[in-house]
Amino acid sequence: MENNKLLDNIVLFSALIIMFGFFLVFTQIFSGNLENVVLKMTGLSSFGQSNLVLSVENFTINSKAGYLVKTNEFSQDVIYSKDASNKMPIASLTKLMSAIVVLGNIKLSDKIIITKDIEDWQEIKTIKENEIFTADDLLKTSLIESNNSTMIALARSLGEDKFVELMNKKAEDIGLVNTKFYNETGLDLKDKVSNFSTVEDLAKLTKYILYNYPKIFEITKQKEFLLCDIEFNYCRTVKNTNLLLNNDSLKDNVVGGKTGETKIAGGCLILVIKGKIEGEYFISI
């Protein structure tokens, strides 16, 4: 029995390291160092090889900060940490806090009309002027596609200043002592300070969402979503920015997450993986 337990622990730890390896690879996609990282870590062409062996103690990542914790509702164990208290811009990871404010203050059945100035905040023209959507569908599009216009539309329905104020109030309530929000999207705005946080604070935020707003991560693990205006005049498929959801070996274990990227912040990723025990999770920042 003891041997079986030891074997189970080895298998779990090995799976965890491989999953964290995928997280590191994803961060390198943004920096253009994917090929070098794969070759350095494996000496092979992919992470699917059976002889993959990694050591947390020997991890070196190009990201300015990283954090990996095993957590449940009552405790948390830090497995890997790099510059955990370093304040940095967080790009669209911001939208996780924005989603909390939406769920706590806006009826998901509310109908919201898109104006021209809201439409223009998008890189991909998913929504258009004069279209009307439910708040629920705008929230899903914001989290899945990381669409800025949909989150701006939601914030303006409440009042943007009030919305951001509620974001910072919630951060204070959760205990995010090194976090500050200036807008609801995470965009770098000219002549303004970017939203910032630390990987340590973001782990707290992630854990809070897991146990208080599970709907948020249920949305973020959807590979795609069919977005339609309220009259069903025009529908389009919204695809998830988290490429890890396309990996067959990970998709059943991914609880949720969020991507982010701006010129100032660079590439950002939160990923939550199921643990072996019910109610246990691994959080990578």
Side-chain angles (χ1 to χ4, degrees):
M1 291 294 291
E2 290 182 0
N3 288 339
N4 288 338
K5 184 176 180 181
L6 176 60
L7 181 59
D8 285 345
N9 288 333
I10 292 173
V11 170
L12 175 61
F13 186 71
S14 299
L16 170 62
I17 296 305
I18 291 172
M19 289 174 186
F20 191 52
F22 275 107
F23 154 69
L24 295 178
V25 167
F26 190 86
T27 65
Q28 301 311 310
I29 292 173
F30 292 106
S31 63
N33 294 321
L34 176 59
E35 182 178 357
N36 289 337
V37 169
V38 172
L39 291 174
K40 180 178 179 181
M41 285 183 150
T42 68
L44 300 166
S45 60
S46 74
F47 278 89
Q49 305 297 323
S50 61
N51 60 344
L52 172 63
V53 178
L54 300 175
S55 169
V56 169
E57 291 79 6
N58 294 328
F59 265 148
T60 57
I61 61 175
N62 292 338
S63 302
K64 291 184 178 179
Y67 208 55
L68 176 64
V69 297
K70 181 177 75 172
T71 187
N72 57 41
E73 194 169 1
F74 308 105
S75 65
Q76 179 171 293
D77 295 322
V78 178
I79 297 172
Y80 177 86
S81 178
K82 176 182 177 180
D83 291 338
S85 59
N86 187 15
K87 297 178 184 177
M88 292 180 294
I90 58 174
S92 282
L93 302 188
T94 293
K95 292 186 177 77
L96 293 177
M97 178 60 81
S98 299
I100 292 174
V101 173
V102 170
L103 291 175
N105 297 274
I106 298 174
K107 291 182 179 179
L108 296 181
S109 60
D110 284 355
K111 297 176 178 60
I112 299 174
I113 188 168
I114 304 305
T115 58
K116 177 60 177 171
D117 59 325
I118 290 177
E119 176 190 338
D120 289 343
W121 282 99
Q122 302 170 102
E123 290 185 9
I124 303 172
K125 297 295 183 181
T126 300
I127 61 173
K128 298 180 180 179
E129 181 183 8
N130 295 325
E131 290 185 317
I132 303 174
F133 301 94
T134 64
D136 188 34
D137 284 352
L138 290 176
L139 177 62
K140 289 175 181 176
T141 304
S142 178
L143 291 173
I144 293 172
E145 188 182 63
S146 205
N147 189 293
N148 296 312
S149 288
T150 52
M151 187 55 76
I152 290 171
L154 288 163
R156 289 189 182 178
S157 72
L158 197 63
E160 282 188 276
D161 290 342
K162 179 181 179 181
F163 194 94
V164 174
E165 181 181 331
L166 289 170
M167 292 171 70
N168 285 306
K169 178 62 168 60
K170 179 58 71 171
E172 182 181 343
D173 292 344
I174 297 173
L176 311 185
V177 295
N178 292 309
T179 299
K180 181 72 174 179
F181 297 103
Y182 296 93
N183 64 62
E184 66 273 25
T185 61
L187 285 170
D188 302 326
L189 302 180
K190 187 177 180 180
D191 300 326
K192 292 186 179 181
V193 180
S194 299
N195 298 342
F196 65 81
S197 187
T198 68
V199 291
E200 191 173 40
D201 270 7
L202 289 171
K204 290 180 184 178
L205 173 62
T206 302
K207 183 174 180 178
Y208 178 82
I209 291 171
L210 278 169
Y211 295 105
N212 294 277
Y213 289 91
K215 177 182 175 70
I216 292 174
F217 284 138
E218 288 170 8
I219 293 172
T220 65
K221 72 177 182 179
Q222 295 181 41
K223 290 178 63 175
E224 59 184 33
F225 163 66
L226 186 64
L227 173 67
C228 302
D229 64 272
I230 61 170
E231 299 294 335
F232 288 88
N233 291 322
Y234 179 52
C235 296
R236 67 231 75 170
T237 300
V238 173
K239 294 187 179 296
N240 204 308
T241 55
N242 188 348
L243 303 181
L244 291 176
L245 296 175
N246 297 324
N247 187 286
D248 291 338
S249 65
L250 284 177
K251 63 182 181 180
D252 292 336
N253 293 310
V254 173
V255 176
K258 185 72 191 74
T259 64
E261 183 182 18
T262 67
K263 185 175 181 179
I264 294 177
C268 309
L269 176 68
I270 289 176
L271 181 68
V272 185
I273 299 290
K274 292 178 184 177
K276 184 177 178 181
I277 303 170
E278 182 71 25
E280 180 181 81
Y281 305 95
F282 293 98
I283 300 172
S284 294
I285 314 292

